[in-house]
Structures are given as C-alpha cells and as structure tokens.
Amino acid sequence: SLVAHSRAFLFNGFLSTASGDIQRNQAVNTMLTGQTALSSTLWIVETIGQVYCNNQAGIDAWFAALPVDLMHTTEHGLHARSVTGGRFAPSGCTPGGFQNQVNFARDMALRVHEAGGLVLAGSDSPTVLGAAGFSMHDELRALQRAGFSNRDAIAAATSNAGQYLAHVLPGELPVGTIEEGAQANLLLLDRAPSQALDNFASSLEIVMARGNAYPRAVREAWFERIRQEYNITCPPTCSP
C-alpha cells in the first residue's frame, strides 16, 4: 500500500504536529509492518505554506520559479486565480502555523527513510501549484532540505520507485535501474547526479524515453514551439 503524503499522518487526527517521538515512531513501525511505502510529496507541502500562508513576497517568489512560458494561457490563468482568489485555505494556515506542518512532513519522511522504509519522490503534479516534470526537480531538493543525502533523494525518484512498481505491477519490465532488460528510460547529465540537484534542468543533456534519445537541442526546439503556440507574453505576475 501507499501513503500519498508525508503530511497525511495529520489527517483524521492520526497524529498531530505536537506528537512526540514515541507516537511518530509507532506510526513508522506500523508502516513498516504493513510494507507500506511513503510518497513524500514534500514540495507541495512547502509550496502551500509559501503561497497560501505567506505574504505577497512568497507568492511572487513562487510565480517567478514557475516555467510560465511553457504553460498554456488557461493553465497560467488558473495559477493566478488560485492564488489571488484564495482557492485553497489549508488548515493551520496562520502566521507560522503551517510551518509546523512542513516540519512535521519533513520529519516523518526522514523517519521512514532512516527506519529502512521505502520513500518515493512525489510532487502531486499536475496541480495548480506546479508544472509536471519541473516539480519533480523541486521535490528532490525538498528531500534534501528534509535531511536526505543527494544520493538518497535521487533513489527516491529512481530505484525506490522501481522497487515499488515491481511490487504492484509484477511482470512489467523493470524501471528505475540501469540494467539489461530494464526499460530504457534514462536521464544523461553533464555532471554526477548528486552534484546536479541544485540546478537539475541545466545539467540535463539527453533524455532517453523508451530507447529514443532526445538531446538538449531537440528539447529546446520543442519548448520554443510551445512558447510560440501558447503565446505567453505577460510576466509571471500578470492579471488572470
């Protein structure tokens, strides 16, 4: 089975941000006993706190980090309306209150990892708070901030995910590993992966999907066509 959010332990009163080590470790042990994996989804928790529980500076920083020029106008408008219209009002969204939930989610993800549990990188994409693909890079950095080593953060998005899929989809070709017989879905970087997390996109030279290689020049041509088709000309903070 799968716990879809590190923050999900707070749902239905299972735990609270005030829960101590004994309660948190009991929850982790229950997961391990039931062979339950955890999809961390830390980035979305951090982003909710930044966008909906922060001041205008937090909202502006979030917009500035989005690849707005690669989003359709309707999607961009949805982002803007979600923020300015207060579409979401998460519980605990008081000054400093949601940070307790961020800290809790980070702590639970790290506890599961250090106890030998299976942690999978998840970004909750697609949502109005992020962009598919790019948000996974954000999730790897969020795992870093939670205390994961670079290597373990990358494993959460590769070999750990492959291990989980092998369990729930037996008989499928292996994913998340580089080995004979595995699916040929690879990312080739210009540096060691553990050194690329701070700016993953700029380090990505070749994307291989189902055995087909797509170098940077080909991908940039796709991006440029998307920019022209979507005709995004307004700045990130333009009106919806």
PDB file of all heavy atoms in Angstrom, residues 83-117:
ATOM      1  N   VAL A  83      -4.338  31.712  -6.580  1.00  0.00           N
ATOM      2  CA  VAL A  83      -3.643  32.465  -5.544  1.00  0.00           C
ATOM      3  C   VAL A  83      -4.442  33.701  -5.153  1.00  0.00           C
ATOM      4  O   VAL A  83      -4.778  33.909  -3.995  1.00  0.00           O
ATOM      5  CB  VAL A  83      -2.235  32.868  -6.021  1.00  0.00           C
ATOM      6  CG1 VAL A  83      -1.564  33.737  -4.970  1.00  0.00           C
ATOM      7  CG2 VAL A  83      -1.392  31.628  -6.279  1.00  0.00           C
ATOM      8  N   THR A  84      -4.775  34.520  -6.156  1.00  0.00           N
ATOM      9  CA  THR A  84      -5.436  35.789  -5.846  1.00  0.00           C
ATOM     10  C   THR A  84      -6.844  35.572  -5.320  1.00  0.00           C
ATOM     11  O   THR A  84      -7.356  36.369  -4.551  1.00  0.00           O
ATOM     12  CB  THR A  84      -5.490  36.680  -7.100  1.00  0.00           C
ATOM     13  OG1 THR A  84      -6.178  35.982  -8.148  1.00  0.00           O
ATOM     14  CG2 THR A  84      -4.079  37.014  -7.573  1.00  0.00           C
ATOM     15  N   GLY A  85      -7.470  34.456  -5.748  1.00  0.00           N
ATOM     16  CA  GLY A  85      -8.827  34.186  -5.296  1.00  0.00           C
ATOM     17  C   GLY A  85      -8.888  33.350  -4.039  1.00  0.00           C
ATOM     18  O   GLY A  85      -9.970  33.071  -3.537  1.00  0.00           O
ATOM     19  N   GLY A  86      -7.721  32.936  -3.536  1.00  0.00           N
ATOM     20  CA  GLY A  86      -7.704  32.133  -2.319  1.00  0.00           C
ATOM     21  C   GLY A  86      -8.442  30.820  -2.488  1.00  0.00           C
ATOM     22  O   GLY A  86      -9.252  30.428  -1.655  1.00  0.00           O
ATOM     23  N   ARG A  87      -8.152  30.134  -3.595  1.00  0.00           N
ATOM     24  CA  ARG A  87      -8.901  28.915  -3.896  1.00  0.00           C
ATOM     25  C   ARG A  87      -8.771  27.880  -2.790  1.00  0.00           C
ATOM     26  O   ARG A  87      -9.702  27.161  -2.481  1.00  0.00           O
ATOM     27  CB  ARG A  87      -8.400  28.341  -5.218  1.00  0.00           C
ATOM     28  CG  ARG A  87      -9.089  27.041  -5.612  1.00  0.00           C
ATOM     29  CD  ARG A  87      -8.625  26.572  -6.975  1.00  0.00           C
ATOM     30  NE  ARG A  87      -9.242  25.292  -7.320  1.00  0.00           N
ATOM     31  CZ  ARG A  87      -9.020  24.650  -8.456  1.00  0.00           C
ATOM     32  NH1 ARG A  87      -8.204  25.170  -9.333  1.00  0.00           N
ATOM     33  NH2 ARG A  87      -9.592  23.496  -8.700  1.00  0.00           N
ATOM     34  N   PHE A  88      -7.595  27.780  -2.194  1.00  0.00           N
ATOM     35  CA  PHE A  88      -7.375  26.817  -1.125  1.00  0.00           C
ATOM     36  C   PHE A  88      -7.195  27.549   0.196  1.00  0.00           C
ATOM     37  O   PHE A  88      -6.595  28.614   0.244  1.00  0.00           O
ATOM     38  CB  PHE A  88      -6.134  25.975  -1.408  1.00  0.00           C
ATOM     39  CG  PHE A  88      -6.221  25.172  -2.670  1.00  0.00           C
ATOM     40  CD1 PHE A  88      -5.348  25.407  -3.716  1.00  0.00           C
ATOM     41  CD2 PHE A  88      -7.178  24.187  -2.807  1.00  0.00           C
ATOM     42  CE1 PHE A  88      -5.426  24.661  -4.880  1.00  0.00           C
ATOM     43  CE2 PHE A  88      -7.265  23.436  -3.969  1.00  0.00           C
ATOM     44  CZ  PHE A  88      -6.383  23.673  -5.011  1.00  0.00           C
ATOM     45  N   ALA A  89      -7.690  26.971   1.242  1.00  0.00           N
ATOM     46  CA  ALA A  89      -7.491  27.520   2.578  1.00  0.00           C
ATOM     47  C   ALA A  89      -7.120  26.366   3.502  1.00  0.00           C
ATOM     48  O   ALA A  89      -7.955  25.867   4.253  1.00  0.00           O
ATOM     49  CB  ALA A  89      -8.739  28.233   3.078  1.00  0.00           C
ATOM     50  N   PRO A  90      -5.863  25.888   3.413  1.00  0.00           N
ATOM     51  CA  PRO A  90      -5.473  24.714   4.200  1.00  0.00           C
ATOM     52  C   PRO A  90      -5.544  24.975   5.692  1.00  0.00           C
ATOM     53  O   PRO A  90      -5.327  26.088   6.159  1.00  0.00           O
ATOM     54  CB  PRO A  90      -4.032  24.455   3.747  1.00  0.00           C
ATOM     55  CG  PRO A  90      -3.553  25.783   3.244  1.00  0.00           C
ATOM     56  CD  PRO A  90      -4.743  26.446   2.649  1.00  0.00           C
ATOM     57  N   SER A  91      -5.862  23.913   6.426  1.00  0.00           N
ATOM     58  CA  SER A  91      -5.915  24.041   7.877  1.00  0.00           C
ATOM     59  C   SER A  91      -4.542  24.375   8.431  1.00  0.00           C
ATOM     60  O   SER A  91      -3.518  23.966   7.892  1.00  0.00           O
ATOM     61  CB  SER A  91      -6.414  22.723   8.488  1.00  0.00           C
ATOM     62  OG  SER A  91      -5.532  21.663   8.164  1.00  0.00           O
ATOM     63  N   GLY A  92      -4.515  25.147   9.503  1.00  0.00           N
ATOM     64  CA  GLY A  92      -3.243  25.540  10.097  1.00  0.00           C
ATOM     65  C   GLY A  92      -2.602  26.709   9.405  1.00  0.00           C
ATOM     66  O   GLY A  92      -1.454  27.057   9.689  1.00  0.00           O
ATOM     67  N   CYS A  93      -3.335  27.328   8.465  1.00  0.00           N
ATOM     68  CA  CYS A  93      -2.746  28.414   7.672  1.00  0.00           C
ATOM     69  C   CYS A  93      -2.815  29.726   8.447  1.00  0.00           C
ATOM     70  O   CYS A  93      -3.563  30.632   8.126  1.00  0.00           O
ATOM     71  CB  CYS A  93      -3.483  28.531   6.353  1.00  0.00           C
ATOM     72  SG  CYS A  93      -2.568  29.416   5.091  1.00  0.00           S
ATOM     73  N   THR A  94      -2.025  29.805   9.491  1.00  0.00           N
ATOM     74  CA  THR A  94      -1.890  31.001  10.291  1.00  0.00           C
ATOM     75  C   THR A  94      -0.425  31.393  10.283  1.00  0.00           C
ATOM     76  O   THR A  94       0.427  30.597   9.898  1.00  0.00           O
ATOM     77  CB  THR A  94      -2.345  30.746  11.740  1.00  0.00           C
ATOM     78  OG1 THR A  94      -1.565  29.667  12.283  1.00  0.00           O
ATOM     79  CG2 THR A  94      -3.815  30.356  11.779  1.00  0.00           C
ATOM     80  N   PRO A  95      -0.098  32.612  10.671  1.00  0.00           N
ATOM     81  CA  PRO A  95       1.312  33.007  10.683  1.00  0.00           C
ATOM     82  C   PRO A  95       2.165  32.017  11.463  1.00  0.00           C
ATOM     83  O   PRO A  95       2.027  31.858  12.664  1.00  0.00           O
ATOM     84  CB  PRO A  95       1.270  34.382  11.360  1.00  0.00           C
ATOM     85  CG  PRO A  95      -0.087  34.915  11.040  1.00  0.00           C
ATOM     86  CD  PRO A  95      -0.989  33.709  11.055  1.00  0.00           C
ATOM     87  N   GLY A  96       3.029  31.320  10.750  1.00  0.00           N
ATOM     88  CA  GLY A  96       3.908  30.343  11.374  1.00  0.00           C
ATOM     89  C   GLY A  96       3.265  28.990  11.598  1.00  0.00           C
ATOM     90  O   GLY A  96       3.957  28.004  11.842  1.00  0.00           O
ATOM     91  N   GLY A  97       1.929  28.924  11.523  1.00  0.00           N
ATOM     92  CA  GLY A  97       1.229  27.684  11.818  1.00  0.00           C
ATOM     93  C   GLY A  97       1.516  26.584  10.822  1.00  0.00           C
ATOM     94  O   GLY A  97       1.738  25.433  11.192  1.00  0.00           O
ATOM     95  N   PHE A  98       1.495  26.920   9.543  1.00  0.00           N
ATOM     96  CA  PHE A  98       1.697  25.885   8.532  1.00  0.00           C
ATOM     97  C   PHE A  98       3.133  25.396   8.507  1.00  0.00           C
ATOM     98  O   PHE A  98       3.397  24.270   8.081  1.00  0.00           O
ATOM     99  CB  PHE A  98       1.299  26.401   7.147  1.00  0.00           C
ATOM    100  CG  PHE A  98       0.878  25.293   6.219  1.00  0.00           C
ATOM    101  CD1 PHE A  98      -0.401  24.761   6.285  1.00  0.00           C
ATOM    102  CD2 PHE A  98       1.766  24.767   5.303  1.00  0.00           C
ATOM    103  CE1 PHE A  98      -0.786  23.724   5.455  1.00  0.00           C
ATOM    104  CE2 PHE A  98       1.391  23.731   4.466  1.00  0.00           C
ATOM    105  CZ  PHE A  98       0.103  23.207   4.540  1.00  0.00           C
ATOM    106  N   GLN A  99       4.066  26.224   8.972  1.00  0.00           N
ATOM    107  CA  GLN A  99       5.456  25.775   9.031  1.00  0.00           C
ATOM    108  C   GLN A  99       5.592  24.561   9.939  1.00  0.00           C
ATOM    109  O   GLN A  99       6.435  23.686   9.700  1.00  0.00           O
ATOM    110  CB  GLN A  99       6.365  26.902   9.520  1.00  0.00           C
ATOM    111  CG  GLN A  99       7.857  26.565   9.475  1.00  0.00           C
ATOM    112  CD  GLN A  99       8.332  26.239   8.069  1.00  0.00           C
ATOM    113  OE1 GLN A  99       7.998  26.950   7.122  1.00  0.00           O
ATOM    114  NE2 GLN A  99       9.107  25.184   7.939  1.00  0.00           N
ATOM    115  N   ASN A 100       4.754  24.485  10.958  1.00  0.00           N
ATOM    116  CA  ASN A 100       4.764  23.300  11.822  1.00  0.00           C
ATOM    117  C   ASN A 100       4.419  22.053  11.020  1.00  0.00           C
ATOM    118  O   ASN A 100       4.977  20.972  11.258  1.00  0.00           O
ATOM    119  CB  ASN A 100       3.774  23.469  12.972  1.00  0.00           C
ATOM    120  CG  ASN A 100       4.191  24.544  13.954  1.00  0.00           C
ATOM    121  OD1 ASN A 100       5.374  24.843  14.092  1.00  0.00           O
ATOM    122  ND2 ASN A 100       3.217  25.131  14.632  1.00  0.00           N
ATOM    123  N   GLN A 101       3.487  22.180  10.072  1.00  0.00           N
ATOM    124  CA  GLN A 101       3.122  21.044   9.238  1.00  0.00           C
ATOM    125  C   GLN A 101       4.234  20.696   8.253  1.00  0.00           C
ATOM    126  O   GLN A 101       4.466  19.523   7.949  1.00  0.00           O
ATOM    127  CB  GLN A 101       1.813  21.337   8.506  1.00  0.00           C
ATOM    128  CG  GLN A 101       0.636  21.564   9.446  1.00  0.00           C
ATOM    129  CD  GLN A 101      -0.691  21.584   8.734  1.00  0.00           C
ATOM    130  OE1 GLN A 101      -0.857  20.957   7.685  1.00  0.00           O
ATOM    131  NE2 GLN A 101      -1.661  22.305   9.290  1.00  0.00           N
ATOM    132  N   VAL A 102       4.912  21.714   7.733  1.00  0.00           N
ATOM    133  CA  VAL A 102       6.063  21.473   6.859  1.00  0.00           C
ATOM    134  C   VAL A 102       7.132  20.698   7.616  1.00  0.00           C
ATOM    135  O   VAL A 102       7.675  19.693   7.127  1.00  0.00           O
ATOM    136  CB  VAL A 102       6.631  22.799   6.319  1.00  0.00           C
ATOM    137  CG1 VAL A 102       7.950  22.562   5.583  1.00  0.00           C
ATOM    138  CG2 VAL A 102       5.631  23.485   5.399  1.00  0.00           C
ATOM    139  N   ASN A 103       7.457  21.170   8.816  1.00  0.00           N
ATOM    140  CA  ASN A 103       8.477  20.498   9.628  1.00  0.00           C
ATOM    141  C   ASN A 103       8.061  19.069   9.965  1.00  0.00           C
ATOM    142  O   ASN A 103       8.887  18.151   9.979  1.00  0.00           O
ATOM    143  CB  ASN A 103       8.725  21.287  10.915  1.00  0.00           C
ATOM    144  CG  ASN A 103       9.361  22.640  10.648  1.00  0.00           C
ATOM    145  OD1 ASN A 103       9.961  22.876   9.592  1.00  0.00           O
ATOM    146  ND2 ASN A 103       9.226  23.553  11.602  1.00  0.00           N
ATOM    147  N   PHE A 104       6.776  18.886  10.242  1.00  0.00           N
ATOM    148  CA  PHE A 104       6.260  17.555  10.552  1.00  0.00           C
ATOM    149  C   PHE A 104       6.426  16.621   9.353  1.00  0.00           C
ATOM    150  O   PHE A 104       6.879  15.476   9.493  1.00  0.00           O
ATOM    151  CB  PHE A 104       4.784  17.651  10.945  1.00  0.00           C
ATOM    152  CG  PHE A 104       4.122  16.317  11.166  1.00  0.00           C
ATOM    153  CD1 PHE A 104       4.168  15.700  12.409  1.00  0.00           C
ATOM    154  CD2 PHE A 104       3.451  15.676  10.125  1.00  0.00           C
ATOM    155  CE1 PHE A 104       3.559  14.462  12.609  1.00  0.00           C
ATOM    156  CE2 PHE A 104       2.848  14.447  10.322  1.00  0.00           C
ATOM    157  CZ  PHE A 104       2.912  13.841  11.567  1.00  0.00           C
ATOM    158  N   ALA A 105       6.043  17.084   8.167  1.00  0.00           N
ATOM    159  CA  ALA A 105       6.141  16.259   6.964  1.00  0.00           C
ATOM    160  C   ALA A 105       7.589  15.881   6.682  1.00  0.00           C
ATOM    161  O   ALA A 105       7.885  14.725   6.330  1.00  0.00           O
ATOM    162  CB  ALA A 105       5.544  17.003   5.768  1.00  0.00           C
ATOM    163  N   ARG A 106       8.496  16.831   6.827  1.00  0.00           N
ATOM    164  CA  ARG A 106       9.914  16.530   6.630  1.00  0.00           C
ATOM    165  C   ARG A 106      10.391  15.477   7.626  1.00  0.00           C
ATOM    166  O   ARG A 106      11.102  14.537   7.260  1.00  0.00           O
ATOM    167  CB  ARG A 106      10.740  17.811   6.797  1.00  0.00           C
ATOM    168  CG  ARG A 106      10.575  18.842   5.685  1.00  0.00           C
ATOM    169  CD  ARG A 106      11.268  20.130   6.064  1.00  0.00           C
ATOM    170  NE  ARG A 106      11.216  21.115   4.985  1.00  0.00           N
ATOM    171  CZ  ARG A 106      11.545  22.405   5.145  1.00  0.00           C
ATOM    172  NH1 ARG A 106      11.946  22.839   6.340  1.00  0.00           N
ATOM    173  NH2 ARG A 106      11.490  23.226   4.112  1.00  0.00           N
ATOM    174  N   ASP A 107       9.992  15.636   8.871  1.00  0.00           N
ATOM    175  CA  ASP A 107      10.433  14.728   9.918  1.00  0.00           C
ATOM    176  C   ASP A 107       9.924  13.308   9.674  1.00  0.00           C
ATOM    177  O   ASP A 107      10.674  12.336   9.801  1.00  0.00           O
ATOM    178  CB  ASP A 107       9.942  15.235  11.276  1.00  0.00           C
ATOM    179  CG  ASP A 107      10.337  14.299  12.420  1.00  0.00           C
ATOM    180  OD1 ASP A 107      11.542  14.219  12.724  1.00  0.00           O
ATOM    181  OD2 ASP A 107       9.432  13.654  12.995  1.00  0.00           O
ATOM    182  N   MET A 108       8.660  13.175   9.280  1.00  0.00           N
ATOM    183  CA  MET A 108       8.105  11.848   9.065  1.00  0.00           C
ATOM    184  C   MET A 108       8.748  11.168   7.863  1.00  0.00           C
ATOM    185  O   MET A 108       9.019   9.960   7.888  1.00  0.00           O
ATOM    186  CB  MET A 108       6.591  11.929   8.885  1.00  0.00           C
ATOM    187  CG  MET A 108       5.830  12.328  10.149  1.00  0.00           C
ATOM    188  SD  MET A 108       6.140  11.251  11.580  1.00  0.00           S
ATOM    189  CE  MET A 108       5.478   9.683  10.986  1.00  0.00           C
ATOM    190  N   ALA A 109       9.015  11.916   6.807  1.00  0.00           N
ATOM    191  CA  ALA A 109       9.681  11.330   5.636  1.00  0.00           C
ATOM    192  C   ALA A 109      11.059  10.818   6.013  1.00  0.00           C
ATOM    193  O   ALA A 109      11.466   9.718   5.619  1.00  0.00           O
ATOM    194  CB  ALA A 109       9.768  12.361   4.519  1.00  0.00           C
ATOM    195  N   LEU A 110      11.787  11.606   6.792  1.00  0.00           N
ATOM    196  CA  LEU A 110      13.133  11.194   7.187  1.00  0.00           C
ATOM    197  C   LEU A 110      13.088  10.003   8.135  1.00  0.00           C
ATOM    198  O   LEU A 110      13.922   9.089   8.048  1.00  0.00           O
ATOM    199  CB  LEU A 110      13.866  12.370   7.836  1.00  0.00           C
ATOM    200  CG  LEU A 110      15.363  12.168   8.095  1.00  0.00           C
ATOM    201  CD1 LEU A 110      16.107  11.893   6.787  1.00  0.00           C
ATOM    202  CD2 LEU A 110      15.960  13.387   8.795  1.00  0.00           C
ATOM    203  N   ARG A 111      12.112   9.973   9.040  1.00  0.00           N
ATOM    204  CA  ARG A 111      11.988   8.834   9.965  1.00  0.00           C
ATOM    205  C   ARG A 111      11.722   7.531   9.199  1.00  0.00           C
ATOM    206  O   ARG A 111      12.306   6.485   9.503  1.00  0.00           O
ATOM    207  CB  ARG A 111      10.860   9.085  10.971  1.00  0.00           C
ATOM    208  CG  ARG A 111      11.197  10.075  12.069  1.00  0.00           C
ATOM    209  CD  ARG A 111       9.975  10.344  12.939  1.00  0.00           C
ATOM    210  NE  ARG A 111      10.204  11.431  13.862  1.00  0.00           N
ATOM    211  CZ  ARG A 111      10.588  11.276  15.138  1.00  0.00           C
ATOM    212  NH1 ARG A 111      10.760  10.053  15.639  1.00  0.00           N
ATOM    213  NH2 ARG A 111      10.767  12.315  15.919  1.00  0.00           N
ATOM    214  N   VAL A 112      10.824   7.593   8.226  1.00  0.00           N
ATOM    215  CA  VAL A 112      10.528   6.398   7.434  1.00  0.00           C
ATOM    216  C   VAL A 112      11.792   5.938   6.704  1.00  0.00           C
ATOM    217  O   VAL A 112      12.126   4.746   6.690  1.00  0.00           O
ATOM    218  CB  VAL A 112       9.397   6.677   6.428  1.00  0.00           C
ATOM    219  CG1 VAL A 112       9.224   5.503   5.465  1.00  0.00           C
ATOM    220  CG2 VAL A 112       8.086   6.951   7.163  1.00  0.00           C
ATOM    221  N   HIS A 113      12.502   6.879   6.127  1.00  0.00           N
ATOM    222  CA  HIS A 113      13.727   6.552   5.397  1.00  0.00           C
ATOM    223  C   HIS A 113      14.778   5.935   6.317  1.00  0.00           C
ATOM    224  O   HIS A 113      15.360   4.889   6.006  1.00  0.00           O
ATOM    225  CB  HIS A 113      14.275   7.815   4.732  1.00  0.00           C
ATOM    226  CG  HIS A 113      15.655   7.664   4.178  1.00  0.00           C
ATOM    227  ND1 HIS A 113      15.962   6.787   3.157  1.00  0.00           N
ATOM    228  CD2 HIS A 113      16.835   8.269   4.519  1.00  0.00           C
ATOM    229  CE1 HIS A 113      17.258   6.855   2.886  1.00  0.00           C
ATOM    230  NE2 HIS A 113      17.799   7.735   3.694  1.00  0.00           N
ATOM    231  N   GLU A 114      15.018   6.569   7.446  1.00  0.00           N
ATOM    232  CA  GLU A 114      16.067   6.091   8.351  1.00  0.00           C
ATOM    233  C   GLU A 114      15.700   4.767   9.006  1.00  0.00           C
ATOM    234  O   GLU A 114      16.584   4.021   9.448  1.00  0.00           O
ATOM    235  CB  GLU A 114      16.360   7.155   9.413  1.00  0.00           C
ATOM    236  CG  GLU A 114      17.026   8.399   8.827  1.00  0.00           C
ATOM    237  CD  GLU A 114      17.345   9.446   9.871  1.00  0.00           C
ATOM    238  OE1 GLU A 114      16.713   9.421  10.954  1.00  0.00           O
ATOM    239  OE2 GLU A 114      18.211  10.300   9.605  1.00  0.00           O
ATOM    240  N   ALA A 115      14.406   4.440   9.066  1.00  0.00           N
ATOM    241  CA  ALA A 115      13.963   3.159   9.629  1.00  0.00           C
ATOM    242  C   ALA A 115      14.016   2.038   8.597  1.00  0.00           C
ATOM    243  O   ALA A 115      13.698   0.895   8.919  1.00  0.00           O
ATOM    244  CB  ALA A 115      12.548   3.293  10.179  1.00  0.00           C
ATOM    245  N   GLY A 116      14.415   2.383   7.373  1.00  0.00           N
ATOM    246  CA  GLY A 116      14.507   1.373   6.330  1.00  0.00           C
ATOM    247  C   GLY A 116      13.268   1.248   5.474  1.00  0.00           C
ATOM    248  O   GLY A 116      13.155   0.317   4.676  1.00  0.00           O
ATOM    249  N   GLY A 117      12.336   2.178   5.631  1.00  0.00           N
ATOM    250  CA  GLY A 117      11.129   2.155   4.817  1.00  0.00           C
ATOM    251  C   GLY A 117      11.388   2.656   3.409  1.00  0.00           C
ATOM    252  O   GLY A 117      12.453   3.203   3.107  1.00  0.00           O
TER     253      GLY A 117
END
